[in-house]
Amino acid sequence: MRIALVLVVGMIMATLDQTIVNVAINRLSAEFDTGLSTIQWVATGYSLALGAVVPTSAWLVGRFGAKRLYLAAVAAFAVGSVLAGSAWNIESLIAFRVVQGASGGLLMPVAMTILLRAAGPERLGQLMSTLGLAILVGPLLGPVIGGYLIDEMSWRWMFFINLPLGALVLVLAARVVPQDVPEPPRSLDVRGLLLMSPGLALLIYGVTAAGEHADFTSPAVLVPLLLGAGLIAAFVRRSLRVPVPLLDLRVLANRTSGASAALLGLFATGYFGSMLLLPLYFQVVRGESALVAGALGIPMALASGISMQVAGRLIDRIPPGRYLPASITVALTGFVLFVLQLGADASYWALGATLLLMGAGGGGTMMPVLTTATRSLSREQQPAGSTVLNMISTTAMAIGIAVSSVTLSALLPVTGGLQALHGLDPGARAELAPALAEAFQYTYLIAPIMIALALVPALLLPRRMPED
């Protein structure tokens, strides 16, 4: 339990950082005089880097040892945080966020490896649920802490706060995490890594460029889109042919795993893509501070964390083909009701009620779909399946954030986008509020559309519990 609690502190550090940044997007846009389609790379770059290192975690553990790798990841995350807080322009901030993502992406898989080795089978379930505290605490406290630091101190402190946290984790982990001996690792598919990561980055860059140019035929759009698609196609082809690929996509040939992966990709694109919009709506349309905007998102984070704990037990008793469509419907209902009432003067109480539904449906869907996908695989396939699903989740998050930000940028009723709004006086902003709310309303439609599409693969999942 001591080991688990130390690992939780490290994971909270990473989850805090992810959620804090969403509240800071508006302030960062003003600070660097940059549009939303560019500033969103502060979140997207982090997600892409996080996803890129997940497939390498098993190889790195074998090469360097779990304890040594975990300490190095925590130290690199803290250093990356200090560099991000010291950024002098938007390009440097995005680059340092990539450093954070690359180190933060190792914390969860390496922590799980350490815990699996340290815990006996009879205590594993309890200790794994302890790790789930990070998923609850980070999204709950991150926006509020970030809002306070942004309003009362500086946006830079939302990164500097990771330095004392990182130092605490290093001291504690060095004392309580048992030393392990590196083992000969399996070969790493370096060529696959060099195809996948640039391919995803180019695809998302092409999408954001399309939003900026409003023209898919422009060379600035077509070139990265085609290059990215080509690299991803080559990566998929390689993954299906080599004996030990970076991501073993062959696990998706299993019907339940394939349907679960499709569900996860669609749902995560809509659900996580909308996370960037909520604090922006409260700040841009309603004129709230970063602290208030973060606090108003608490109902969604709280409902998500609680439902995640309950859903982990329900999916062991209810067939996924019956449970997951119901959970997705809860999220879909929340998003539809939220979109319908989203306006310049919508009641915060009514919005909070719909946020409870959105969070409950999201938390009730994400963990059960991962459980469903991996449970249908053989014991030998489960690690590969888990890695593929984590990669799908982080990639979907990055794509969702990019698409939402580009769509909102195109719909904002002011020439110059988000950065132009910062120069308007309060009276002009108030006059624009209805049109701004409409832009957010139409952008938010992406989420319920993607979540509704996730119902299709959900209905293909087994409607009976597997027999022992």
Side-chain angles (χ1 to χ4, degrees), residues 27 56-57 121 150 182 185 209 228 265 282 329 333 356 370 408 427 450:
R27 180 63 60 86
T56 69
S57 60
I150 292 163
F282 288 126
T329 301
T333 302
L356 285 172
L370 292 172
L408 180 61
M450 298 303 295

Side-chain angles (χ1 to χ4, degrees), residues 303-317 323 363-364 368:
S304 176
I306 294 173
S307 67
M308 195 177 296
Q309 300 298 316
V310 176
R313 295 171 175 83
L314 291 178
I315 198 62
D316 289 334
R317 303 176 183 177
Y323 171 79

Side-chain angles (χ1 to χ4, degrees), residues 106-199:
L106 291 173
L107 293 179
M108 172 67 91
V110 179
M112 291 183 69
T113 299
I114 292 171
L115 202 59
L116 284 167
R117 291 177 176 178
E122 68 281 358
R123 291 186 299 164
L124 185 57
Q126 177 191 356
L127 295 179
M128 289 296 284
S129 66
T130 304
L131 286 186
L133 287 172
I135 302 173
L136 172 60
V137 173
L140 196 61
L141 296 182
V144 179
I145 293 173
Y148 174 80
L149 293 174
I150 292 163
D151 288 339
E152 302 299 327
M153 301 177 72
S154 164
W155 65 267
R156 298 181 185 276
W157 276 98
M158 69 180 183
F159 298 116
F160 291 153
I161 193 176
N162 289 325
L163 184 59
L165 279 175
L168 175 65
V169 174
L170 283 174
V171 171
L172 294 176
R175 294 183 61 181
V176 306
V177 174
Q179 191 68 47
D180 60 327
V181 179
E183 302 172 356
R186 69 172 192 173
S187 60
L188 178 66
D189 183 14
V190 177
R191 189 179 301 178
L193 184 63
L194 294 176
L195 289 171
M196 180 193 71
S197 299

Side-chain angles (χ1 to χ4, degrees), residues 402-421:
V403 171
S404 293
S405 59
V406 167
T407 304
L408 180 61
S409 296
L411 294 175
L412 286 175
V414 58
T415 303
L418 184 60
Q419 71 267 40
L421 291 171

